[in-house]
Amino acid sequence: MGSTGDYKFQGWMGLDKNCVKGQMKWQQYEPKTWQETDVDIKVTHCGICASDLHTLRSGWGPTMYPCCVGHEVVGTAVKVGKNVEGGIKVGDRVGVGAQSSSCLKPECEECASGQENHCQIKMTGTYNGTYLDGSKSYGGYSDYCRVPSHFVIKIPDAITSEEAAPMLCGGITTYAPLKHNGCGPGKRVGIVGIGGLGHFGLLYAKALGADKITAISRKSEKKADAMKMGADTFIATEEEPDWATKYGNSLDLIVCTVSSPTMPLEQYLQLLRVKGQFIQVGAPEDPIPGFRAFSLIGKGIKIGGSAIGTPAEIKEMLELSVKQKVNPWVQKRPLKDANQAVVDMEANKARYRYVLVNEAHA
């Protein structure tokens, strides 16, 4: 089970919803059925994403246990099918983000137009998903990871593996909505939530050239960090009375990274200017708060969502990261200590992204 003869597929497995409490078990698993379009990756680094915690505890719905989470994966290509895309070769440093497959059928409107992340026929996550042949997907808290080559990305030499890993989900999840919604010169941008996602939002808003960047958090304890990441203004919503009025009509675009069902959504909308846009990327386990229709109607505001990004967008983001010297704030943790790292992530101790290092391979 889970062996090619040269190496074994094994990793930290969640066996039930209590695994999020630091109870994952190290064991073998059966990877997806090999196809000649696949790449086997010897994992060196894997970022810890909040999605991992939601999945480990079945927060977004029943998880298909056993599961191996981790979708910010970087490592070395050790087996490459004869029909791979992208010119990937054995020995290349590569990575994969939150998506490992889509239908890629020519009749699929989304895949045919380069919107694989929105495939409505078969979008497969890098873990806790199934492929078209019924095989399960397993992630990067592991020694090896098997992934269809269409979603495998070559990592630029100028980006370290520990920095590249969290870019593949956390980075693209904020870069894509910023880019799609006009972040750049002449725009005033707000980022709600200064955590793993939010810190990327600040970094990429700066890299894209926004005129003004506002960091929005509940308390001011992260203000100094946020300013170093590129923020010009900081709003502490639980410490500043009448903040929604004081900073009203000041932003063209807000990207909201928080995963809270109690966030003050209607007040966030007050911060937007006429024709402003509010894009939600955080995914709480419960419904987001309601709001009055006039919060949108009065200023012609649009509210929307964004899901990760395409392989092409990830490559574009990595190129921008090299050009603009984007350096995420990461803390390395040994893969052997993944259980404690998950517990610490749940306790909001990360500043600002934990990256597991497989010391046997790094």
Side-chain angles (χ1 to χ4, degrees), residues 2 42 45-46 100 108 143 193 246 254 300 332 337 351:
K42 181 170 72 173
H45 298 76
C46 185
S100 59
C108 173
D143 277 342
K246 179 179 178 181
I254 294 175
K332 295 186 287 185
D337 296 337
R351 293 294 184 272

Side-chain angles (χ1 to χ4, degrees), residues 170-180 200-201 204 208 313-314 316-317 320:
I172 193 61
T173 295
T174 53
Y175 172 81
L178 288 168
K179 183 68 183 299
H180 287 315
F200 270 118
Y204 283 120
L208 288 165
E313 289 168 338
I314 294 174
E316 176 184 281
M317 173 195 67
L320 178 73

Side-chain angles (χ1 to χ4, degrees), residues 192 256 258-266 268 278 280 282 284 288-289:
V192 179
C256 181
V258 300
S259 295
S260 171
T262 61
M263 60 181 174
L265 178 55
E266 195 159 59
Y268 292 155
F278 182 94
Q280 181 71 26
I288 63 174

Side-chain angles (χ1 to χ4, degrees), residues 16 18 36-37 43 57 72 100 102 109 151 158 180 246 267 270 295 303 312 315 318 333 351:
D16 58 41
N18 291 319
E36 291 298 330
T37 51
V43 179
R57 64 167 168 260
E72 299 180 338
S100 59
S102 67
E109 182 177 347
F151 294 88
H180 287 315
K246 179 179 178 181
Q267 290 166 287
Q270 291 180 44
S295 297
I303 187 168
K315 294 172 185 174
L318 293 176
R333 305 288 296 264
R351 293 294 184 272

